[in-house]
Amino acid sequence: MSKVKLNLIAAACENMGIGTNGTLPWRLKKEMAYFTTMTTQVSDPTKVNAVIMGRRTWDCIPDKYRPLDNRINIVMTHNVDSVKENVPEGVIVVPGLDEAISYIEKRPDIEATWVIGGSSIYKAAMTHENCGKIYLTEIQKSFDCDTFFPNIDKQQFHLVDEEKIPSEKQVEGDISYYFRVYKRL
Ligand code: FOL
């Protein structure tokens, strides 16, 4: 059994929506900065983190931000060959989560692994034995969405207090949200 822990990170609104029409339903500058910090920061400066995403999530990242800087970008797809032709060199393309984990196991320079969506990838990671914590930003508003965060089984995952993560309500314009962390029992 591998020691690769999968940390999930997502922002979801009241109806658990995470996306619409291939984009994020909101624009929250500080929330995005939190995503960048969490997925990038390492305690060992000789290491880097990996981000695992589905092909649609790859597509939703603006061209100028992809691949995501200072992180090993791993894209999951059922069409490895065709996607490989359409991503820059250095981006790892794999057919599934187990192949992503195998790749990470062979890279001792990877410190932490972040699963960054979307729905089907979050679901696969949440039910995987290597699933660690879920970093969920709970946005206190409803948006029209066509993609949703999977149900969190509260028998399996419980809310924890994390040092370093602000526990107070965050406010950006007319939108407020909380940074929550769930840990598997
Ligand atoms: N988790 C959280 N907490 N918030 C999110 O918005 C979020 N988004 C995704 C996955 N997990 C999340 C997937 N969508 C970028 C764009 C979309 C996206 C993830 C990342 C992106 O372009 N990120 C850049 C910074 C962009 C900016 O500063 O505007 C990066 O370097 O991280």
Side-chain angles (χ1 to χ4, degrees):
M1 195 231 179
S2 88
K3 56 198 251 9
V4 175
K5 275 264 174 273
L6 304 171
N7 294 307
L8 280 66
I9 187 164
C13 58
E14 273 176 348
N15 44 332
M16 293 309 273
I18 56 173
T20 186
N21 293 318
T23 58
L24 295 175
W26 44 79
R27 207 189 69 84
L28 296 169
K29 207 161 172 282
K30 290 177 177 168
E31 206 293 314
M32 184 53 78
Y34 172 79
F35 168 87
T36 304
T37 302
M38 294 303 291
T39 56
T40 306
Q41 71 179 3
V42 283
S43 58
D44 178 343
T46 69
K47 294 191 175 186
V48 289
N49 291 334
V51 288
I52 301 175
M53 71 196 90
R55 194 266 307 158
R56 292 178 190 163
T57 296
W58 167 267
D59 287 342
C60 93
I61 300 171
D63 246 312
K64 59 174 172 178
Y65 292 122
R66 78 196 184 197
L68 295 175
D69 268 353
N70 306 117
R71 287 151 283 182
I72 306 296
N73 286 229
I74 303 174
V75 176
M76 276 172 58
T77 175
H78 296 299
N79 295 306
V80 171
D81 294 349
S82 68
V83 172
K84 262 186 184 156
E85 295 174 5
N86 291 287
V87 296
E89 215 162 58
V91 173
I92 311 304
V93 183
V94 295
L97 207 45
D98 290 323
E99 289 83 357
I101 291 170
S102 300
Y103 175 81
I104 293 162
E105 284 172 342
K106 294 177 208 132
R107 289 276 313 248
D109 60 322
I110 293 175
E111 185 174 281
T113 302
W114 293 92
V115 173
I116 68 165
S119 297
S120 61
I121 314 298
Y122 286 136
K123 193 166 185 180
M126 273 172 73
T127 54
H128 198 282
E129 60 175 354
N130 293 27
C131 183
K133 293 173 182 173
I134 301 174
Y135 291 75
L136 183 66
T137 300
E138 298 178 359
I139 298 169
Q140 310 293 295
K141 189 179 165 177
S142 271
F143 289 83
D144 242 313
C145 291
D146 60 20
T147 174
F148 298 87
F149 194 81
N151 179 56
I152 299 176
D153 178 5
K154 298 286 164 58
Q155 299 267 64
Q156 269 204 74
F157 291 95
H158 68 301
L159 201 53
V160 290
D161 278 309
E162 282 274 271
E163 308 276 276
K164 303 173 235 174
I165 290 174
S167 56
E168 325 80 62
K169 183 185 5 203
Q170 307 292 306
V171 183
E172 261 190 277
D174 63 346
I175 301 173
S176 60
Y177 53 86
Y178 290 91
F179 298 126
R180 304 287 201 207
V181 184
Y182 293 90
K183 196 178 190 295
R184 204 188 220 174
L185 288 173

